[in-house]
Amino acid sequence: MIGKCDQCGLESVEVKRMKKPNSQEETALCNQCRPVDGAYAY
Ligand SMILES: [Zn+2]
């Protein structure tokens, strides 16, 4: 979806909502901020 990245603050970027590890809290991360090492991987 297009939205604002919670980490870098960029707006109008493609973000994915995902739960933080060990938390019920959701965060939206853009492609840049989303780790590719598997920490948030599906
Ligand atoms: Zn970002």
Side-chain angles (χ1 to χ4, degrees), residues 5 8 30 33:
C5 176
C8 65
C30 69
C33 298

Side-chain angles (χ1 to χ4, degrees), residues 8-21:
C8 65
L10 275 179
E11 296 187 45
S12 301
V13 290
E14 177 72 25
V15 294
K16 280 204 167 74
R17 297 203 65 84
M18 50 191 62
K19 282 191 166 51
K20 296 176 182 177

